Amino acid sequence: MATRGRTTLVVGATGRLGVAVARALATRGDKLVLTARDDAKLAAISRDLAAPHGAAPPYVRADLLDPDAVETIVAGVRSEVGRVEDIVLACGPFPRTPFASLRREDLLRTLTVHAIAPLLLVQALAQDLAKANGSVVALSDAGVTRPYTNHAAYLTAKGALQTGLRALAVELAPDVRVNMIALGIVADPEADADPLRTHRLATRSPLGRFGTPDEVVHVVLALLDSTRATGEIWGVGR
């Protein structure tokens, strides 16, 4: 049975999947706190969510590359809602980093955004989550176990996230559940403008198509509500 009325922090709320998750949570009655690095986009999403669902959800602008990002987000949570019960980690950037030109800075940036800051944020809010028997759901990538070219930094960071969160699933049990979703390609009409490339990539999937944001949302909600699942990595798409 779906849990309604939870207070959920959505990290990466301005990304395509973050927006879809936030909209679904608001629709089912959850109270949201949104965070991302773009203040204008956060304000626009908050206003959009207010239209059908009542009050605009609060948001906290923070760039996960900033050393004080975790403290900023936690302070915003305390100011706006007091505490959170669940966290969705939909952290965004998908940088192209060909191995031949890979730099130390590329690895540090992606590790910070996709692994270090998220893990420290869960640590900072662990007591909130434990009091609420809460849940953490993070978006990862199927490429961690089935790598593709030109994204070594990103895949390294997502692999670190998966290992770190699986460790937290043990550390925080039995009070907090921590799960991940290993995503295959999700359709993006703006980015997938080349029909030949789109067709070529889609045919690599047994289903012959890309996934959709709605399909990702379905699994996010299922993991938030699955009280018997922790330390799991659910694959969605290939």
Side-chain angles (χ1 to χ4, degrees):
M1 180 180 295
T3 303
R4 297 179 181 273
R6 304 279 290 182
T7 301
T8 305
L9 173 65
V10 181
V11 183
T14 59
R16 189 165 51 99
L17 297 180
V19 170
V21 169
R23 183 172 290 115
L25 291 171
T27 298
R28 78 176 192 168
D30 281 12
K31 185 175 183 179
L32 304 181
V33 181
L34 312 175
T35 185
R37 62 182 177 176
D38 190 311
D39 193 74
K41 288 183 179 179
L42 280 167
I45 292 164
S46 179
R47 289 194 301 270
D48 178 62
L49 291 177
H53 308 299
Y59 59 88
V60 182
R61 196 214 75 81
D63 187 335
L64 295 182
L65 287 171
D66 293 341
D68 60 352
V70 169
E71 290 77 8
T72 298
I73 295 170
V74 172
V77 166
R78 299 286 176 251
S79 172
E80 296 291 349
V81 297
R83 65 185 180 89
V84 297
E85 297 171 288
D86 299 316
I87 300 175
V88 176
L89 298 169
C91 309
F94 180 64
R96 187 176 187 275
T97 53
F99 185 70
S101 57
L102 183 66
R103 304 169 302 163
R104 181 184 185 87
E105 291 76 12
D106 296 327
L107 289 166
L108 290 174
R109 287 175 65 88
T110 52
L111 281 166
T112 297
V113 170
H114 289 289
I116 296 172
L119 290 172
L120 291 175
L121 182 59
V122 174
Q123 179 198 49
L125 293 170
Q127 290 187 5
D128 288 19
L129 297 169
K131 288 178 182 178
N133 290 121
S135 176
V136 177
V137 176
L139 301 186
S140 186
D141 197 290
V144 171
T145 55
R146 294 188 296 275
Y148 41 83
T149 59
N150 296 318
H151 290 83
Y154 168 80
L155 294 177
T156 297
K158 285 298 191 185
L161 175 68
Q162 288 189 182
T163 301
L165 287 180
R166 273 192 153 170
L168 288 189
V170 177
E171 295 276 359
L172 299 178
D175 299 316
V176 181
R177 293 171 293 105
V178 183
N179 295 289
M180 290 141 279
I181 303 170
L183 296 175
I185 300 175
V186 179
D188 184 348
E190 294 183 7
D192 303 330
D194 182 347
L196 291 178
R197 176 180 177 276
T198 300
H199 175 73
R200 184 176 69 253
L201 291 174
T203 56
R204 296 179 184 176
S205 166
L207 296 178
R209 64 174 180 85
F210 294 162
T212 68
D214 285 345
E215 289 169 328
V216 176
V217 167
H218 176 78
V219 181
V220 170
L221 298 184
L223 280 174
L224 284 173
D225 299 335
S226 295
T227 56
R228 191 71 176 94
T230 195
E232 300 292 346
I233 300 174
W234 287 15
V236 180
R238 295 186 61 180

